[in-house]
Amino acid sequence: MANGIRPCFLSPGQEREFESLVGYARGGISSCGEDHARLALEGLVPLSHDIGAIIRCAKADLAVGERP
């Protein structure tokens, strides 16, 4: 599991979806920067997830060198 505080999830499916979004954000941050990643997520993220939490987890993962 990646570093960074993860939220609690209502189901395993919701957790998998969140982790997929974190991976997408990691790639966006690495290649285009945080602002671009945040804007891209705004078009993808359902109401069940917090974009700020996704970005925080992605940045924490990158800080420890974790790759998707």
Side-chain angles (χ1 to χ4, degrees):
M1 178 69 114
N3 275 348
I5 297 173
R6 294 327 207 228
C8 295
F9 300 101
L10 299 174
S11 70
Q14 188 183 36
E15 182 175 8
R16 284 190 304 273
E17 181 180 69
F18 181 85
E19 292 300 334
S20 293
L21 292 167
V22 170
Y24 181 80
R26 274 195 308 264
I29 291 169
S30 293
S31 62
C32 300
E34 182 178 342
D35 290 337
H36 182 273
R38 185 176 296 276
L39 288 172
L41 284 170
E42 287 176 1
L44 292 175
V45 175
L47 296 176
S48 59
H49 295 295
D50 174 19
I51 292 173
I54 293 167
I55 294 290
R56 282 191 305 276
C57 290
K59 288 171 65 175
D61 290 355
L62 289 170
V64 297
E66 179 163 316
R67 298 285 181 234

Coordinates of all heavy atoms in Angstrom, one line a residue:
M1 N 0.8 -1.2 0.0 CA 0.0 0.0 0.0 C 0.9 1.2 0.0 O 1.9 1.3 0.6 CB -0.9 0.0 1.2 CG -1.8 1.2 1.3 SD -3.1 1.2 0.1 CE -4.5 1.0 1.1
A2 N 0.4 2.2 -0.6 CA 1.2 3.5 -0.8 C 1.2 4.3 0.5 O 0.3 4.1 1.4 CB 0.6 4.3 -1.9
N3 N 2.2 5.1 0.7 CA 2.2 6.0 1.8 C 1.2 7.1 1.6 O 0.7 7.3 0.5 CB 3.6 6.6 2.0 CG 4.5 5.8 2.8 OD1 4.1 4.8 3.4 ND2 5.8 6.1 2.8
G4 N 0.9 7.9 2.7 CA -0.1 8.9 2.6 C -1.4 8.4 3.3 O -1.7 7.2 3.2
I5 N -2.0 9.2 4.0 CA -3.2 8.8 4.7 C -4.4 8.6 3.8 O -4.7 9.6 3.0 CB -3.6 9.9 5.8 CG1 -2.4 9.9 6.8 CG2 -4.9 9.5 6.5 CD1 -2.6 11.0 7.9
R6 N -4.9 7.5 3.7 CA -6.0 7.1 2.8 C -7.3 7.3 3.6 O -7.4 7.0 4.8 CB -5.9 5.7 2.4 CG -4.8 5.3 1.4 CD -4.3 6.3 0.5 NE -3.7 5.8 -0.7 CZ -2.6 6.2 -1.2 NH1 -1.9 7.1 -0.6 NH2 -2.1 5.7 -2.3
P7 N -8.4 7.7 2.9 CA -9.7 7.8 3.6 C -10.3 6.4 3.8 O -9.8 5.4 3.3 CB -10.5 8.6 2.6 CG -9.9 8.5 1.3 CD -8.4 8.2 1.6
C8 N -11.3 6.4 4.6 CA -12.1 5.1 4.8 C -13.0 4.9 3.6 O -13.5 5.9 3.0 CB -12.9 5.2 6.1 SG -11.9 5.3 7.6
F9 N -13.2 3.7 3.2 CA -14.1 3.4 2.1 C -15.3 2.6 2.5 O -15.2 1.8 3.4 CB -13.2 2.7 1.0 CG -12.1 3.5 0.5 CD1 -10.8 3.2 1.0 CD2 -12.3 4.5 -0.4 CE1 -9.7 4.0 0.6 CE2 -11.2 5.3 -0.8 CZ -9.9 5.0 -0.3
L10 N -16.3 2.8 1.7 CA -17.6 2.0 2.0 C -17.5 0.6 1.4 O -18.3 -0.3 1.8 CB -18.8 2.8 1.4 CG -19.0 4.2 2.0 CD1 -20.1 4.9 1.2 CD2 -19.3 4.1 3.4
S11 N -16.6 0.4 0.4 CA -16.6 -0.9 -0.2 C -15.2 -1.1 -0.9 O -14.5 -0.1 -1.1 CB -17.6 -1.0 -1.4 OG -17.3 -0.2 -2.4
P12 N -14.8 -2.4 -1.1 CA -13.5 -2.6 -1.8 C -13.5 -2.0 -3.2 O -12.5 -1.5 -3.6 CB -13.4 -4.1 -1.9 CG -14.3 -4.6 -0.8 CD -15.4 -3.6 -0.7
G13 N -14.6 -1.9 -3.9 CA -14.7 -1.3 -5.2 C -14.4 0.2 -5.1 O -13.7 0.7 -6.0
Q14 N -14.9 0.8 -4.1 CA -14.7 2.3 -4.0 C -13.2 2.5 -3.7 O -12.6 3.5 -4.2 CB -15.5 2.8 -2.8 CG -15.4 4.4 -2.7 CD -16.2 4.9 -1.6 OE1 -16.3 4.3 -0.5 NE2 -16.9 6.1 -1.8
E15 N -12.5 1.6 -2.9 CA -11.1 1.8 -2.6 C -10.3 1.6 -3.9 O -9.4 2.3 -4.2 CB -10.7 0.8 -1.6 CG -9.2 0.9 -1.2 CD -8.8 0.0 -0.1 OE1 -9.6 -0.9 0.3 OE2 -7.6 0.1 0.4
R16 N -10.6 0.6 -4.7 CA -9.9 0.3 -6.0 C -10.1 1.5 -6.9 O -9.1 1.9 -7.6 CB -10.5 -1.0 -6.7 CG -9.9 -2.2 -6.0 CD -10.3 -3.5 -6.9 NE -11.7 -3.6 -7.2 CZ -12.6 -4.2 -6.3 NH1 -12.2 -4.8 -5.2 NH2 -13.9 -4.3 -6.7
E17 N -11.3 2.1 -7.0 CA -11.5 3.2 -7.8 C -10.6 4.4 -7.3 O -10.0 5.1 -8.2 CB -13.0 3.6 -7.8 CG -13.3 4.8 -8.7 CD -14.8 5.1 -8.6 OE1 -15.2 5.6 -7.5 OE2 -15.5 4.9 -9.6
F18 N -10.6 4.6 -6.0 CA -9.7 5.7 -5.5 C -8.3 5.5 -5.8 O -7.6 6.4 -6.3 CB -9.9 5.8 -4.0 CG -9.1 6.9 -3.3 CD1 -9.7 8.1 -3.2 CD2 -7.9 6.6 -2.8 CE1 -8.9 9.2 -2.6 CE2 -7.2 7.6 -2.1 CZ -7.7 8.9 -2.1
E19 N -7.8 4.3 -5.6 CA -6.4 4.0 -5.9 C -6.0 4.2 -7.4 O -5.0 4.6 -7.8 CB -6.0 2.6 -5.4 CG -6.0 2.5 -3.9 CD -5.0 3.4 -3.2 OE1 -4.0 3.9 -3.8 OE2 -5.3 3.8 -2.0
S20 N -7.0 3.8 -8.3 CA -6.8 4.1 -9.7 C -6.7 5.6 -10.0 O -5.8 6.0 -10.8 CB -8.0 3.5 -10.5 OG -8.0 2.1 -10.4
L21 N -7.5 6.4 -9.3 CA -7.5 7.8 -9.5 C -6.1 8.4 -9.0 O -5.6 9.3 -9.6 CB -8.7 8.5 -8.9 CG -10.0 8.2 -9.5 CD1 -11.2 8.6 -8.6 CD2 -10.1 8.8 -10.9
V22 N -5.7 7.8 -7.9 CA -4.4 8.3 -7.3 C -3.3 8.0 -8.3 O -2.4 8.8 -8.6 CB -4.1 7.6 -5.9 CG1 -2.7 7.9 -5.5 CG2 -5.1 8.1 -4.9
G23 N -3.3 6.8 -8.9 CA -2.3 6.4 -9.9 C -2.3 7.4 -11.1 O -1.3 7.8 -11.6
Y24 N -3.6 7.7 -11.5 CA -3.7 8.7 -12.6 C -3.1 10.0 -12.2 O -2.4 10.7 -13.0 CB -5.2 8.8 -13.0 CG -5.5 9.7 -14.1 CD1 -5.4 9.3 -15.4 CD2 -6.0 11.0 -13.8 CE1 -5.7 10.2 -16.5 CE2 -6.3 11.9 -14.9 CZ -6.2 11.4 -16.2 OH -6.5 12.3 -17.2
A25 N -3.4 10.5 -11.0 CA -2.9 11.7 -10.5 C -1.4 11.7 -10.4 O -0.7 12.7 -10.8 CB -3.5 12.1 -9.2
R26 N -0.8 10.6 -10.0 CA 0.7 10.5 -9.9 C 1.3 10.8 -11.3 O 2.2 11.5 -11.4 CB 1.1 9.1 -9.4 CG 1.2 9.0 -7.9 CD 1.9 7.7 -7.5 NE 1.5 6.5 -8.2 CZ 0.6 5.6 -7.6 NH1 0.1 5.8 -6.4 NH2 0.3 4.6 -8.3
G27 N 0.7 10.1 -12.3 CA 1.2 10.3 -13.6 C 1.1 11.7 -14.1 O 2.0 12.3 -14.8
G28 N -0.1 12.3 -13.8 CA -0.3 13.7 -14.2 C 0.6 14.7 -13.6 O 1.2 15.6 -14.2
I29 N 0.9 14.5 -12.3 CA 1.8 15.3 -11.5 C 3.2 15.2 -12.1 O 3.9 16.2 -12.3 CB 1.7 15.0 -10.0 CG1 0.4 15.5 -9.4 CG2 2.9 15.7 -9.3 CD1 0.1 15.0 -8.0
S30 N 3.6 14.0 -12.3 CA 5.0 13.7 -12.8 C 5.2 14.3 -14.2 O 6.3 14.8 -14.4 CB 5.2 12.2 -12.9 OG 5.2 11.6 -11.6
S31 N 4.2 14.2 -15.0 CA 4.4 14.7 -16.4 C 4.0 16.1 -16.7 O 4.7 16.8 -17.5 CB 3.7 13.7 -17.4 OG 2.3 13.8 -17.2
C32 N 3.0 16.6 -16.0 CA 2.5 17.9 -16.4 C 2.3 18.9 -15.2 O 2.0 20.0 -15.4 CB 1.1 17.8 -17.0 SG 1.1 16.8 -18.5
G33 N 2.5 18.4 -14.0 CA 2.4 19.3 -12.8 C 1.0 19.1 -12.1 O 0.1 18.5 -12.6
E34 N 1.0 19.6 -10.9 CA -0.1 19.4 -10.0 C -1.4 20.1 -10.5 O -2.5 19.5 -10.5 CB 0.2 19.9 -8.6 CG -1.0 19.7 -7.6 CD -0.6 20.2 -6.2 OE1 0.5 20.3 -5.9 OE2 -1.6 20.4 -5.5
D35 N -1.2 21.3 -11.1 CA -2.4 22.0 -11.6 C -3.1 21.3 -12.7 O -4.3 21.2 -12.7 CB -2.0 23.4 -12.0 CG -1.7 24.3 -10.8 OD1 -2.1 24.1 -9.7 OD2 -0.9 25.3 -11.1
H36 N -2.3 20.8 -13.6 CA -2.8 20.0 -14.7 C -3.5 18.7 -14.2 O -4.6 18.4 -14.7 CB -1.8 19.7 -15.7 CG -2.3 18.9 -16.9 ND1 -2.4 17.6 -17.0 CD2 -2.7 19.4 -18.1 CE1 -2.9 17.2 -18.1 NE2 -3.0 18.3 -18.9
A37 N -2.9 18.0 -13.3 CA -3.5 16.8 -12.8 C -4.8 17.1 -12.1 O -5.8 16.4 -12.3 CB -2.5 16.2 -11.8
R38 N -4.9 18.2 -11.3 CA -6.1 18.6 -10.6 C -7.2 18.9 -11.6 O -8.4 18.4 -11.5 CB -5.9 19.8 -9.7 CG -7.0 20.1 -8.9 CD -6.7 21.3 -7.9 NE -5.7 20.9 -6.9 CZ -5.9 20.3 -5.8 NH1 -7.2 20.0 -5.5 NH2 -5.0 20.0 -5.0
L39 N -6.9 19.6 -12.7 CA -7.9 19.9 -13.7 C -8.4 18.7 -14.4 O -9.6 18.5 -14.7 CB -7.4 20.9 -14.7 CG -7.2 22.4 -14.2 CD1 -6.5 23.2 -15.2 CD2 -8.5 23.0 -13.8
A40 N -7.5 17.8 -14.7 CA -7.9 16.5 -15.4 C -8.8 15.7 -14.5 O -9.8 15.1 -14.9 CB -6.6 15.7 -15.8
L41 N -8.5 15.7 -13.2 CA -9.3 14.9 -12.2 C -10.7 15.5 -12.1 O -11.7 14.7 -11.9 CB -8.6 14.8 -10.9 CG -7.4 13.9 -10.8 CD1 -6.7 14.1 -9.4 CD2 -7.9 12.4 -10.9
E42 N -10.8 16.8 -12.2 CA -12.1 17.4 -12.0 C -13.1 16.8 -13.1 O -14.3 16.8 -12.8 CB -12.0 18.9 -12.1 CG -11.4 19.5 -10.9 CD -11.2 21.0 -11.0 OE1 -11.6 21.6 -12.0 OE2 -10.7 21.6 -10.0
G43 N -12.7 16.5 -14.2 CA -13.5 15.9 -15.2 C -13.8 14.4 -15.1 O -14.7 13.9 -15.6
L44 N -13.0 13.7 -14.2 CA -13.1 12.3 -14.1 C -13.7 11.8 -12.8 O -14.3 10.8 -12.7 CB -11.7 11.7 -14.1 CG -11.0 11.7 -15.5 CD1 -9.6 11.2 -15.3 CD2 -11.8 10.9 -16.5
V45 N -13.5 12.6 -11.7 CA -13.8 12.1 -10.4 C -15.3 12.2 -10.1 O -15.9 13.3 -10.2 CB -13.0 12.9 -9.3 CG1 -13.4 12.5 -7.9 CG2 -11.5 12.7 -9.5
P46 N -15.9 11.1 -9.7 CA -17.3 11.1 -9.2 C -17.4 11.8 -7.9 O -16.4 12.0 -7.2 CB -17.6 9.6 -9.1 CG -16.3 8.9 -8.9 CD -15.3 9.8 -9.6
L47 N -18.6 12.1 -7.5 CA -18.8 12.8 -6.3 C -18.4 12.1 -5.0 O -18.3 12.6 -4.0 CB -20.3 13.2 -6.2 CG -20.8 14.2 -7.2 CD1 -22.3 14.4 -7.1 CD2 -20.1 15.5 -7.2
S48 N -18.2 10.8 -5.2 CA -17.9 9.9 -4.0 C -16.4 10.1 -3.6 O -16.0 9.5 -2.6 CB -18.2 8.5 -4.3 OG -17.4 8.0 -5.5
H49 N -15.6 10.8 -4.3 CA -14.2 11.0 -4.0 C -13.8 12.5 -3.9 O -14.4 13.3 -4.6 CB -13.3 10.3 -5.0 CG -13.4 8.8 -5.1 ND1 -13.1 8.0 -4.0 CD2 -13.9 8.0 -6.0 CE1 -13.3 6.8 -4.3 NE2 -13.8 6.7 -5.6
D50 N -12.9 12.8 -3.0 CA -12.4 14.1 -2.8 C -11.1 14.3 -3.6 O -10.1 13.6 -3.4 CB -12.1 14.3 -1.3 CG -11.5 15.6 -0.9 OD1 -11.5 16.5 -1.7 OD2 -10.9 15.7 0.2
I51 N -11.1 15.3 -4.5 CA -9.9 15.5 -5.4 C -8.7 15.9 -4.6 O -7.6 15.5 -4.8 CB -10.3 16.6 -6.4 CG1 -11.3 16.1 -7.4 CG2 -9.0 17.1 -7.2 CD1 -11.8 17.1 -8.4
G52 N -8.9 16.7 -3.5 CA -7.8 17.1 -2.6 C -7.2 15.9 -2.0 O -5.9 15.8 -1.9
A53 N -8.0 14.9 -1.6 CA -7.4 13.7 -1.0 C -6.6 12.9 -2.0 O -5.5 12.3 -1.7 CB -8.5 12.8 -0.4
I54 N -7.1 12.8 -3.2 CA -6.4 12.1 -4.3 C -5.1 12.7 -4.6 O -4.1 12.0 -4.6 CB -7.3 12.1 -5.6 CG1 -8.6 11.2 -5.3 CG2 -6.5 11.5 -6.8 CD1 -9.6 11.4 -6.4
I55 N -5.0 14.0 -4.7 CA -3.8 14.8 -5.0 C -2.8 14.6 -3.8 O -1.6 14.3 -4.0 CB -4.1 16.3 -5.2 CG1 -4.9 16.4 -6.5 CG2 -2.8 17.1 -5.2 CD1 -4.1 16.1 -7.8
R56 N -3.3 14.7 -2.6 CA -2.4 14.5 -1.4 C -1.8 13.1 -1.4 O -0.6 13.0 -1.1 CB -3.2 14.7 -0.1 CG -3.4 16.2 0.3 CD -3.9 16.4 1.7 NE -5.2 15.6 1.9 CZ -6.4 16.0 1.6 NH1 -6.6 17.2 1.0 NH2 -7.4 15.3 1.9
C57 N -2.6 12.1 -1.7 CA -2.0 10.7 -1.7 C -1.0 10.6 -2.8 O 0.0 9.9 -2.6 CB -3.2 9.7 -1.8 SG -4.2 9.6 -0.3
A58 N -1.4 11.1 -4.0 CA -0.4 11.0 -5.1 C 0.9 11.7 -4.8 O 2.0 11.1 -5.1 CB -1.1 11.6 -6.4
K59 N 0.8 12.9 -4.2 CA 2.1 13.6 -3.9 C 2.9 12.8 -2.8 O 4.1 12.8 -2.9 CB 1.7 15.0 -3.4 CG 1.3 15.9 -4.5 CD 0.8 17.2 -4.1 CE 1.8 18.1 -3.4 NZ 1.3 19.4 -3.1
A60 N 2.2 12.2 -1.8 CA 2.9 11.4 -0.8 C 3.6 10.2 -1.5 O 4.7 9.9 -1.1 CB 1.9 11.0 0.3
D61 N 2.9 9.6 -2.4 CA 3.5 8.4 -3.1 C 4.7 8.9 -3.8 O 5.7 8.2 -3.8 CB 2.5 7.8 -4.1 CG 1.3 7.1 -3.4 OD1 1.3 7.0 -2.2 OD2 0.4 6.7 -4.2
L62 N 4.6 10.0 -4.5 CA 5.8 10.5 -5.3 C 6.9 10.8 -4.4 O 8.1 10.6 -4.8 CB 5.4 11.6 -6.2 CG 4.4 11.3 -7.4 CD1 3.9 12.6 -8.0 CD2 5.2 10.5 -8.4
A63 N 6.6 11.4 -3.2 CA 7.7 11.8 -2.3 C 8.5 10.6 -1.8 O 9.7 10.7 -1.5 CB 7.1 12.5 -1.1
V64 N 7.9 9.4 -1.7 CA 8.6 8.2 -1.3 C 9.1 7.4 -2.5 O 9.6 6.3 -2.3 CB 7.8 7.3 -0.3 CG1 7.5 8.1 1.0 CG2 6.5 6.8 -0.9
G65 N 8.8 7.9 -3.7 CA 9.3 7.2 -4.9 C 8.5 6.0 -5.3 O 9.0 5.2 -6.1
E66 N 7.3 5.9 -4.9 CA 6.4 4.8 -5.4 C 6.0 5.1 -6.8 O 5.6 6.2 -7.2 CB 5.2 4.7 -4.5 CG 4.3 3.5 -4.9 CD 3.3 3.1 -3.9 OE1 3.7 3.0 -2.8 OE2 2.2 2.9 -4.3
R67 N 5.9 4.1 -7.6 CA 5.5 4.1 -9.0 C 4.3 3.2 -9.1 O 4.2 2.2 -8.5 CB 6.6 3.7 -9.9 CG 7.8 4.6 -9.8 CD 7.5 5.9 -10.5 NE 8.7 6.8 -10.5 CZ 8.7 8.0 -10.0 NH1 7.7 8.5 -9.5 NH2 9.8 8.7 -10.0
P68 N 3.4 3.6 -10.1 CA 2.2 2.7 -10.3 C 2.6 1.3 -10.8 O 3.7 1.1 -11.3 CB 1.5 3.5 -11.4 CG 2.3 4.6 -11.9 CD 3.5 4.7 -10.9

